[in-house]
Amino acid sequence: MTSETTRTDAVTAATETEPGDETEPGRLRDLIEGARVVLWDFDGPICRLFAGHSAERVANDLASWLEGRGLHGLLSEAERDSLDPHVVLRAVDRRHPGSDLVAELEERLTQEELKATASAMPTPYADPLIRTWTAVGARLAVTTNNSPRVAREYLASRGLVRCFAPHLYGRTRQLNHLKPDPHCIHRALNATGAASATALMIGDTPSDLFAARAAGVPFLGYARNDRKRKLLRDAGAAVVVESLEPVLRTVGGRRQA
């Protein structure tokens, strides 16, 4: 696990652009200075939820649970092979929207996510960044496709709930509201009374970017590896960091100013 206070070679300047593009050193600073409300995706920017509790195993268990009830045909071969529990959940919801089956499957996933919090790995620099951003007066909210119960459980274990509560917006049983739908972002903006232009979304997937874009919220991409960075860049993310350290440095500089 990377220390939150040790700079690593993986840090990429937040203003880095693709080869051939012009570098704009102020882009990260501009995003931060314009943010009165910061909307955090949970799994990725705050922690690696399934670092010690395999998401692939969870997806297989959900598929096996369906198969044991004679519902093998609800999933295509590609959906069964996706190894993503959210793919399994969405697939069943598309075929039986709002059903008791979907409700039970969603609760099973929530219970697995709750188990995962015990071995979740904090994203380097996330904890001090959350505390520092709170200290300089920003309001924080979680906007996630995970269960809000899971976000609360993890944040409580890190002593961070007070930085977010009550603004924890996540998966409901209306699965059509999962990102890239901007529903959870709109909920956060409405609850905090923030205009979209004064908010900032931090996410690590294209679906986070698309949800922020649909809500008119500026976006900061977090990519812990080259694969995630390429996905965000290809989706159109203008500012992507490979570490939260430069974000912490910039927010901390505001505190000292």
Side-chain angles (χ1 to χ4, degrees), residues 148-231:
R149 293 156 57 190
V150 174
R152 180 177 290 276
E153 179 86 6
Y154 173 81
L155 292 169
S157 75
R158 306 293 296 177
L160 295 170
V161 168
R162 65 178 182 81
C163 296
F164 291 91
H167 301 300
L168 302 173
Y169 306 102
R171 188 177 64 239
T172 69
R173 289 180 178 173
Q174 293 179 285
L175 299 183
N176 59 309
H177 288 161
L178 293 175
K179 291 177 287 185
D181 187 277
H183 179 74
C184 64
I185 295 178
H186 285 311
R187 289 177 65 199
L189 294 176
N190 290 338
T192 57
S196 57
T198 67
L200 175 64
M201 173 78 196
I202 302 177
D204 70 333
T205 66
S207 65
D208 294 323
L209 170 63
F210 299 149
R213 186 180 292 161
V217 172
F219 181 80
L220 172 61
Y222 167 70
R224 65 182 175 84
N225 56 40
D226 289 343
R227 181 185 66 83
K228 284 185 170 288
R229 181 178 182 274
K230 185 177 188 306
L231 287 172

Side-chain angles (χ1 to χ4, degrees), residues 1-4 6 8 48 120-125 127 154 158:
M1 178 176 164
T2 307
S3 167
E4 290 181 346
T6 302
T8 71
R48 287 178 61 195
M121 182 179 295
T123 297
Y125 303 100
D127 286 19
Y154 173 81
R158 306 293 296 177

Side-chain angles (χ1 to χ4, degrees), residues 34-114:
R36 300 293 176 266
V37 174
V38 184
L39 312 177
W40 292 71
D41 180 43
F42 174 64
D43 185 9
I46 292 178
C47 69
R48 287 178 61 195
L49 178 59
F50 289 103
H53 186 77
S54 170
E56 291 83 357
R57 183 189 62 76
V58 172
N60 282 329
D61 286 352
L62 293 178
S64 296
W65 182 81
L66 289 169
E67 186 170 350
R69 278 147 188 79
L71 299 172
H72 178 82
L74 283 182
L75 301 177
S76 68
E77 184 175 346
E79 288 162 348
R80 282 192 295 273
D81 292 344
S82 70
L83 302 180
D84 183 338
H86 279 104
V87 169
V88 175
L89 186 60
R90 286 179 192 258
V92 176
D93 184 65
R94 280 196 302 273
R95 284 141 194 156
H96 294 279
S99 65
D100 290 345
L101 174 63
V102 171
E104 184 166 357
L105 199 64
E106 192 279 329
E107 179 60 26
R108 285 179 171 274
L109 176 54
T110 295
Q111 291 302 318
E112 292 292 345
E113 290 174 339
L114 286 168

